[in-house]
Amino acid sequence: MMRTLLFYVLLIISAFLLFFPVLFAILASFLSSAALHSGDYIPKNISFENYVQAFTSVPLLKFLMNSFIVSFSVMVGQLILCSLAAYALVFIPFKGRHFFFFLILSTMLVPWEATMIPNYITVLNLGWLNTYQGLTVPFFAIAFGIFLLRQHFLTIPRELHESAQMDGCSRFRFFASFVIPLSRPVLIALGIYGFLTTWNMYLWPLLATSNENVRTVQIGIKMMIAQEASTSWNMVMAGVVIILLPTLLLLFFGLNYLKRGLMSGALKG
Amino acid sequence: MRPQPSITGGKDDLGISALRKRQKQRRLFMEGILYLSPALLILGVFLFYPMIKTLYYSFFITNPRGMTLSFVGFEHYARLLTSSQFLQSMKATFLFVLYTVPTGILLALYLAVIANEKLKGMAFFRVIFSSTLGVSVAAGATIWLFLFHPSIGVINYGLQMLGLSSIPWLTSSTWALFSVALTTVWMNVGFNFIILLGGLQNISEELYESARIDGAGYWSQLFKITIPMLSPTLFFVIVVTLINAFQTFGQIDILTGGGPAEATNLIVYAIYKDAFIHSRFGYASAQAIILFILVLFFTIMQFKVGEKKVHYQ
């Protein structure tokens, strides 16, 4: 059929153009400097030399560890703080909860960059520059996460809560053994979201770190450009591929969770 | 503290139940706050407080540790409005929004429409189209820095192969903003695509079936059903892309450093330079307040306009 063929042609051309930058980065990471300079883009033999060099040029392994620790901590922190807050907003009928809900939502109107100067000074005064807590604690609570979980918690039947209370189930036990297990997909979606956005964060790690102790890979790649770009772009591309790999893999395997979780949160309620 | 009602007086049934109710309410309030407090503490210390503090700083000259030295009132704002550097930064920011928002959304819409067909192997194309969601700003910008490279960049290599002349992507002040915008559109595609595809998949198949029975072709289905039904999702994507465009930083830092000749000195980069390179916290805070007002204005305007124009199911 002509129509099907036409769509395949469009799909293939679009996919190639869109993925070309990443493909070319992967290709370049296997080329020698000489080949890159002469435009000889067909690799003659696969060599991992650029990757080995990338790990020795800057402390890439240390940066990867740091990124992992920071992203994982923010993910866990967000899951705990946001689900506790959303639980209070949905299941504890206290006066003023609507006020608090709108107060939390209003933070979505504040661009984070507009607050970075006082935040830098706060972290400086706490002695948190170049520490993991300086990179993680400010991001433990996000309005988006609280909103997403609240929307999901609203779909949990009221009767379940009432009958659990009749049976003498404490508020915290109801949270831990009913609400959390019932919200697994949306919690996974929020977890992936939190991990990805923290892993990819750039401006804050640039401000809050000045040495290699807790610096993340995103800043590591900037250091690599400064040191190596004039001579060995192939090695910089190897570095790029290394830092892309974790998030691309997470995205490919978690895409459906992410999509379903975010969509269900946006539609229900 | 609320005054406790006296319990020693004549306590009738009504008084006791009112008292119990009040006690229960107080207990519930304490409990609610207990669960909310960790999140409120973080949002308070790292969002509400710094927002007010930014406003406060914008009226002062400070030292590099954030201590206010002298009150200058609206002087920073007055200086900004007459500073050619700041006006250039605003102009670049708005041009950047204009370059990235419509193109980014049209491109993602096109991809979502062709990826919504029921064809074999579509899962593969969907993964490819959403892949830039997993590309960090630093990695994406580094790849494009390499592609744009004046001598070994593959884009200029391709142009030369076609017999065209090379383009000074990042080194000419007429091209640099365009090149940064191109990089940004590419980086935004993944997120926009996923959201728009989700919106397309939520449109009921029955609508298309009845349209086909009425003899509607592909294009008339696209413009009479798909686009109107998708408008809430499109609206959401426009708001997010617009706000993101105002907050652009990483790609500027890696690709151009705000240059050449300040052509790409977008507002967040200008704030960063004034605050953390020149240590002018007060002056930078005044710009941060302007950024805040801009984002607030566009968010509210979008919601006001959107409410009227957007079709909700």
Side-chain angles (χ1 to χ4, degrees), chain A residues 3-4 7-8 10-12 14-22 24-25 28 36-41 81-82 84-89 92-97 100 103-104 106-126 128 137-143 146 171-173 175 193 196 199-203 206-207 217-219 221-222 225 229 233-234 236-237 240 243-244 247-248 251-252 255 258-259 262-263 267, chain B residues 2 25 27-33 35-36 38-40 42-43 45-51 53-54 57 64-67 107 110-111 113-115 117 119-122 124-140 142-147 149 151-155 157 186 189 191 194-199 201-202 218 233 243 247-251 253-254 268 271-272 275-276 280-281 284-285 288-289 291-292 295-296 299-300:
Chain A
R3 191 170 174 278
T4 312
F7 271 104
Y8 273 121
L10 287 178
L11 283 164
I12 290 167
S14 310
F16 177 75
L17 287 177
L18 201 73
F19 209 55
F20 177 77
V22 174
F24 192 73
L36 210 55
H37 281 270
S38 60
D40 186 7
Y41 295 138
L81 266 62
C82 292
L84 282 175
Y87 180 70
L89 293 173
I92 306 177
F94 64 101
K95 256 194 180 163
R97 61 179 167 151
F100 283 114
L103 190 71
I104 289 168
S106 73
T107 63
M108 283 177 152
L109 294 174
V110 177
W112 183 85
E113 290 76 5
T115 62
M116 69 183 172
I117 298 167
N119 275 335
Y120 172 80
I121 293 163
T122 303
V123 167
L124 174 79
N125 288 334
L126 286 170
W128 281 6
V137 174
F139 305 99
F140 275 179
I142 47 165
I146 297 172
R171 222 179 283 278
F172 188 76
R173 241 197 78 201
F175 171 70
Y193 176 84
L196 271 180
W199 181 278
N200 291 345
M201 209 179 272
Y202 183 76
L203 179 49
L206 188 68
L207 296 179
V217 276
Q218 310 298 335
I219 312 303
I221 203 81
K222 192 194 174 178
I225 299 174
W233 270 102
N234 45 358
V236 177
M237 286 302 117
V240 165
I243 75 167
L244 278 184
T247 43
L248 281 183
L251 188 73
F252 290 161
L255 190 59
L258 197 61
K259 212 172 81 189
L262 298 184
M263 280 289 159
L267 291 173
Chain B
R2 227 181 266 164
Q25 266 183 4
R27 214 195 60 229
L28 279 174
F29 185 77
M30 295 310 287
E31 215 174 340
I33 292 298
Y35 281 82
L36 271 179
L40 286 180
I42 298 291
L43 291 175
V45 174
F46 295 105
L47 253 155
F48 288 112
Y49 163 76
M51 200 57 242
K53 195 81 186 196
T54 302
Y57 279 151
R65 288 190 72 87
M67 309 249 262
L107 177 63
Y110 154 76
L111 294 174
V113 167
I114 63 170
E117 293 289 318
L119 296 172
K120 257 191 195 156
M122 197 52 94
F124 168 77
F125 291 107
R126 287 178 185 168
V127 165
I128 296 291
F129 293 164
S130 50
S131 62
T132 65
L133 186 59
V135 178
S136 71
V137 65
T142 307
I143 294 177
W144 282 90
L145 183 63
F146 175 51
L147 299 180
H149 195 279
S151 58
I152 63 166
V154 70
I155 304 183
Y157 180 81
W186 180 77
V189 157
F191 175 80
I194 295 229
I195 302 290
L196 289 175
L197 182 66
Q201 288 172 338
N202 279 330
Y218 179 82
T233 320
I243 293 173
Q247 295 170 289
T248 302
F249 176 82
Q251 55 271 58
D253 191 44
I254 286 179
V268 175
I271 297 172
Y272 164 79
F276 299 105
R280 291 188 293 212
F281 285 137
S285 293
I289 291 296
L291 169 72
F292 170 67
V295 170
L296 191 68
T299 316
I300 291 172

Side-chain angles (χ1 to χ4, degrees), chain B residues 5-83:
Chain B
S6 149
I7 347 175
T8 49
K11 36 179 181 176
D12 52 73
D13 287 352
L14 239 160
I16 288 177
S17 77
L19 183 69
R20 282 220 181 109
K21 210 176 153 195
R22 191 174 292 174
Q23 274 177 341
K24 196 188 165 199
Q25 266 183 4
R26 176 176 301 215
R27 214 195 60 229
L28 279 174
F29 185 77
M30 295 310 287
E31 215 174 340
I33 292 298
L34 184 70
Y35 281 82
L36 271 179
S37 54
L40 286 180
L41 181 72
I42 298 291
L43 291 175
V45 174
F46 295 105
L47 253 155
F48 288 112
Y49 163 76
M51 200 57 242
I52 294 164
K53 195 81 186 196
T54 302
L55 184 65
Y56 176 78
Y57 279 151
S58 74
F59 299 123
F60 286 90
I61 289 174
T62 69
N63 73 3
R65 288 190 72 87
M67 309 249 262
T68 50
L69 298 178
S70 63
F71 178 77
V72 295
F74 284 92
E75 212 173 279
H76 289 315
Y77 293 94
R79 244 178 73 204
L80 279 176
L81 293 179
T82 53
S83 146

Side-chain angles (χ1 to χ4, degrees), chain B residues 199-220:
Chain B
L200 285 179
Q201 288 172 338
N202 279 330
I203 301 175
S204 143
E205 192 54 38
E206 288 161 27
L207 281 173
Y208 291 107
E209 270 162 32
S210 52
R212 273 195 291 270
I213 292 169
D214 293 344
Y218 179 82
W219 294 106
S220 104

